[in-house]
Amino acid sequence: MRFLAILGALAALGASVPAQAEATGSWRVDGAISGRTFQLDCRFEGAGGVCVDAASGGKRVHRLTSLSASGDQVAWSFATKVMLMNIAMTFTGRATGDRMSGTVRAAGRSGSFTAVRR
């Protein structure tokens, strides 16, 4: 009986791995919000990761405050500073193979993003 419980737990764990694996890795994210475009290089690993502002030459690094993936749905967020204001940027989207697209929200505004696995 104990063997069956362990086997069931391993099967459940195995079922959750593809959901995380869908978003795991490096992504180039192109987005626009309120008429302003941006480009990020994001690396998703397990329940965390980092996004780097591509225009900064690697100097503006944003550690993720959240990352979740379920099926093809992906969501992540990080805090950034814009003109002395601290702003949380939240991304929600759908990953399919090497492509991702969705919505980005920050400071009461929303926009869209697309991403390509690198």
Side-chain angles (χ1 to χ4, degrees):
M1 187 64 145
R2 184 178 182 151
F3 174 75
L4 292 177
I6 292 171
L7 186 59
L10 288 174
L13 179 63
S16 68
V17 170
Q20 288 287 17
E22 189 74 34
T24 298
S26 297
W27 295 83
R28 169 57 63 99
V29 179
D30 292 295
I33 190 167
S34 294
R36 297 187 67 156
T37 61
F38 60 88
Q39 197 169 53
L40 301 169
D41 290 320
C42 295
R43 174 96 185 138
F44 303 134
E45 299 170 345
V50 64
C51 288
V52 177
D53 182 352
S56 76
K59 294 180 183 176
R60 291 194 59 164
V61 177
H62 311 286
R63 296 246 173 250
L64 300 188
T65 54
S66 69
L67 172 62
S68 64
S70 178
D72 62 354
Q73 300 299 306
V74 181
W76 74 95
S77 63
F78 60 81
T80 188
K81 193 173 256 191
V82 178
M83 293 191 201
L84 303 176
M85 291 177 33
N86 291 322
I87 295 174
M89 292 192 70
T90 304
F91 297 78
T92 56
R94 181 176 179 215
T96 306
D98 290 339
R99 304 222 176 261
M100 188 185 315
S101 62
T103 303
V104 57
R105 290 185 170 74
R109 294 179 169 88
S110 64
S112 62
F113 76 90
T114 59
V116 177
R117 191 182 304 271
R118 297 184 90 189

